[in-house]
């Protein structure tokens, strides 16, 4: 009677040559082709000179490339000189300033990018209408009501955010270093107190800004921003009134 181990041994003997072919060392396999590099890695050969000339003529038809940037300063409507922020929510229309910048640049086709440069403001595209602006304030302050330690008239009893525990900040070495990078010598106890005193109780403003977003990108065709009849590019200040800045960059052809 054949031992049950014999078929197993025979199977191993038969499989070994196949396994050696499939899983053998690299020395027994044909060398792999080196990955292609360079601008034409998806082509067997670089484009012909005729194709390059055609691309150049296409660029010429589009016009002269342009990439320009401007920082736009926004003073909120209704803000009084020297008035301290009171954590008010306001909506400012950026559209006229952006159109003026676009016209002065001469750009005909491309895109315009706009970004808020603050952590308690937001950028959005919607209708500029005063009663809607009040709806925006009511809606978001119901979702994120101000801390009961806030100076806001809309503060809500019992609401507390960790960010507003000013006496515990900066929280850790990284945050301390960020304060120093921004000009606050917080290792000096007096300077640390001054920094804490000027910090607003505004965690809700940060949270609403994250929900709304901080930038927009708008196509430009034939020298005009492609926005709807009732659309405007809006800066929503969630911790104002304050003088604010936004960055506007144009990229395209003129």
């Amino acid at each position: 009677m054949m031992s049950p181990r014999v078929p197993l041994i025979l199977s191993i003997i038969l499989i070994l040559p196949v396994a050696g072919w499939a899983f053998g060392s690299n020395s027994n396999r044909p060398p792999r082709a080196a990955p292609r590099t360079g601008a034409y890695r998806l082509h067997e050969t670089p484009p012909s000179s005729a194709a390059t000339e055609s691309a150049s003529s296409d660029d010429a038809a589009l016009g002269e490339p342009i990439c320009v940037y401007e920082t736009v300063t926004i003073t909120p409507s209704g803000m009084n000189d020297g008035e301290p922020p009171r954590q008010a929510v306001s909506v400012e229309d950026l559209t006229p300033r952006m159109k003026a910048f676009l016209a002065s640049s001469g750009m005909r086709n491309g895109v315009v990018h706009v970004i808020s440069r603050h952590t308690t403001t937001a950028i959005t595209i919607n209708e500029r209408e005063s009663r809607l602006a009040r709806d925006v304030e009511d809606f978001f302050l119901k979702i994120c009501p101000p801390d009961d330690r806030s100076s806001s008239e809309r503060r809500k009893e019992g609401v507390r955010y960790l960010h507003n525990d000013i006496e515990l900040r900066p929280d850790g070495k990284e945050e301390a270093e960020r304060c120093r990078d921004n000009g606050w010598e917080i290792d000096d106890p007096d300077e640390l107190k001054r920094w804490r005193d000027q910090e607003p109780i505004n965690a809700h403003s940060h949270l609403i800004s994250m929900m709304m977003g901080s930038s927009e990108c708008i196509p430009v065709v034939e020298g005009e921003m492609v926005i709807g009849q009732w659309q405007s590019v809006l800066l929503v200040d969630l911790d104002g009134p304050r003088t604010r800045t936004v960055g506007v960059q144009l990229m395209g052809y003129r």
Side-chain angles (χ1 to χ4, degrees):
M1 181 176 178
M2 184 180 296
S3 169
R5 295 184 178 180
V6 173
L8 177 61
I9 295 172
L10 290 174
S11 299
I12 293 172
I13 293 172
L14 292 172
I15 289 172
L16 280 175
V18 178
W21 174 80
F23 304 108
S25 66
N26 290 338
S27 60
N28 295 326
R29 304 164 81 179
R32 294 181 180 179
R36 295 187 178 98
T37 59
Y40 309 111
R41 64 179 301 172
L42 298 181
H43 301 277
E44 291 300 323
T45 57
S48 65
S49 59
T52 303
E53 291 172 4
S54 175
S56 299
S57 64
D58 289 343
D59 288 343
L62 287 170
E64 177 190 357
I66 179 174
C67 180
V68 291
Y69 172 86
E70 179 177 83
T71 298
V72 178
T73 300
I74 305 296
T75 301
S77 52
M79 178 180 174
N80 300 316
D81 290 340
E83 179 185 6
R86 58 179 186 276
Q87 299 197 325
V89 175
S90 62
V91 178
E92 305 296 331
D93 191 354
L94 302 176
T95 314
R97 300 285 294 272
M98 294 175 64
K99 285 184 175 180
F101 181 37
L102 176 59
S104 67
S105 74
M107 190 174 83
R108 299 294 298 163
N109 296 285
V111 291
V112 53
H113 306 269
V114 57
I115 184 168
S116 163
R117 303 180 71 246
H118 307 277
T119 57
T120 55
T121 62
I123 300 289
T124 190
I125 296 176
N126 216 294
E127 183 177 356
R128 175 68 178 102
E129 196 273 325
S130 58
R131 297 179 71 85
L132 179 60
R134 285 153 57 188
D135 288 334
V136 168
E137 179 177 17
D138 289 341
F139 177 79
F140 281 107
L141 291 185
K142 286 177 182 176
I143 296 174
C144 285
D147 194 303
D148 64 10
R149 296 166 288 180
S150 166
S151 61
S152 170
E153 296 175 355
R154 304 287 294 271
R155 60 186 176 273
K156 187 172 181 179
E157 189 67 30
V159 172
R160 292 289 178 110
Y161 299 99
L162 297 177
H163 177 72
N164 295 336
D165 296 334
I166 308 297
E167 71 281 2
L168 301 179
R169 295 170 49 197
D171 187 5
K173 293 181 179 180
E174 181 184 349
E175 293 178 22
E177 190 60 36
R178 195 175 302 125
C179 289
R180 297 185 191 99
D181 290 344
N182 283 282
W184 290 96
E185 297 299 332
I186 58 169
D187 300 301
D188 178 348
D190 292 335
E191 183 82 347
L192 176 60
K193 183 180 184 304
R194 282 193 293 272
W195 175 76
R196 286 174 172 167
D197 288 345
Q198 60 83 46
E199 275 291 286
I201 307 295
N202 63 355
H204 70 286
S205 304
H206 290 280
L207 296 172
I208 297 171
S209 173
M210 292 178 196
M211 287 190 283
M212 296 190 70
S214 60
S215 65
E216 291 287 353
C217 178
I218 303 109
V220 174
V221 177
E222 297 298 328
E224 298 287 342
M225 292 193 298
V226 182
I227 54 177
Q229 178 181 1
W230 293 101
Q231 286 183 318
S232 294
V233 185
L234 305 173
L235 171 71
V236 183
D237 192 337
L238 302 159
D239 188 21
R242 305 191 201 192
T243 298
R244 302 291 202 171
T245 60
V246 298
V248 183
Q249 186 176 55
L250 306 176
M251 298 180 67
Y253 296 89
R254 60 183 171 189

